[in-house]
Amino acid sequence: MKGFFVVVLRWAPWLAASLFAAAVVAFGAALDGYSQALHPVALLGAAGFPRALAFNALGFMLPGALAAFAAVALRASLPGTAAWPLRIGMQLLLLAALAFAAMGFLPLDTARLDGLTSRLHGSAWMLWCMASALGGLLLGFGWLRQGGPATWTFAAVAGVLLAAFFLSALVPPGVAQRLAFGIWWLWLAGLGWWAAQRRTGH
């Protein structure tokens, strides 16, 4: 079981991030008029768009499920003496992963942006962002006390929030959104690799 958790910690986030990136690039190239710089990722899975179901499965659902497995393994890697900010932070990281997957189950509806499904998709995106930020802050503060990757966890939280909410004033919105997703995936992969090294000692 220990070996299984180590494999999940080391490789599940990288596999999830690779699937997400490959889906965004491939499905974006196949959709006429789609701009990676201008359009949101969710447009590739919007209701009525060609290959929307396939993108939602490969771009959101499967990567989100893999991220959730990684979050469970990260939670299991905590020592029994872990402080409550670390335990709750890991639970919020799991919630963020499930919210990421939910964006595929709740696709955008461009014909009714104020409709229920579009609002639910937006809520899933906001939940992903807020759970990642709050979970990261708790993890960072917990690791300041008990030792861990606090500095780059705080940096990742700041990067996700800045890219998600403020950077679009300076760069095209598609670029800002992809940067937020990219920072999150790199952070999750880094946490997995760090936790695996702690479990194995190398």
Side-chain angles (χ1 to χ4, degrees):
M1 184 62 69
K2 177 181 176 180
F4 172 76
F5 274 111
V6 169
V7 170
V8 170
L9 287 168
R10 277 188 172 151
W11 300 112
W14 287 112
L15 177 58
S18 299
L19 279 172
F20 171 71
V24 171
V25 172
F27 284 85
L31 183 61
D32 290 341
Y34 186 80
S35 169
Q36 296 287 358
L38 298 176
H39 296 133
V41 169
L43 192 62
L44 296 170
F49 276 57
R51 300 171 292 275
L53 181 59
F55 174 79
N56 285 325
L58 296 174
F60 284 128
M61 297 179 199
L62 185 53
L66 289 168
F69 278 120
V72 170
L74 281 165
R75 176 65 178 84
S77 73
L78 290 176
T81 57
W84 69 264
L86 293 175
R87 296 195 299 270
I88 296 177
M90 289 299 181
Q91 292 298 106
L92 287 170
L93 192 60
L94 173 60
L95 181 60
L98 294 175
F100 189 93
M103 286 189 271
F105 285 101
L106 303 166
L108 193 68
D109 186 351
T110 56
R112 287 174 292 195
L113 291 177
D114 291 330
L116 178 61
T117 56
S118 292
R119 292 201 305 270
L120 289 174
H121 179 89
S123 297
W125 181 87
M126 185 62 70
L127 181 59
W128 164 78
C129 191
M130 292 296 97
S132 298
L134 183 55
L137 287 175
L138 288 173
L139 289 171
F141 285 119
W143 280 322
L144 281 176
R145 294 176 55 193
Q146 294 194 252
T151 300
W152 50 270
T153 290
F154 286 134
V157 169
V160 168
L161 291 176
L162 286 172
F165 295 107
F166 302 105
L167 196 59
S168 59
L170 302 175
V171 301
V175 174
Q177 187 194 49
R178 284 156 180 75
L179 183 60
F181 283 137
I183 292 170
W184 186 74
W185 282 119
L186 287 174
W187 174 51
L188 185 62
L191 290 183
W193 205 263
W194 171 81
Q197 287 183 310
R198 281 177 59 107
R199 285 183 75 99
T200 61
H202 56 81

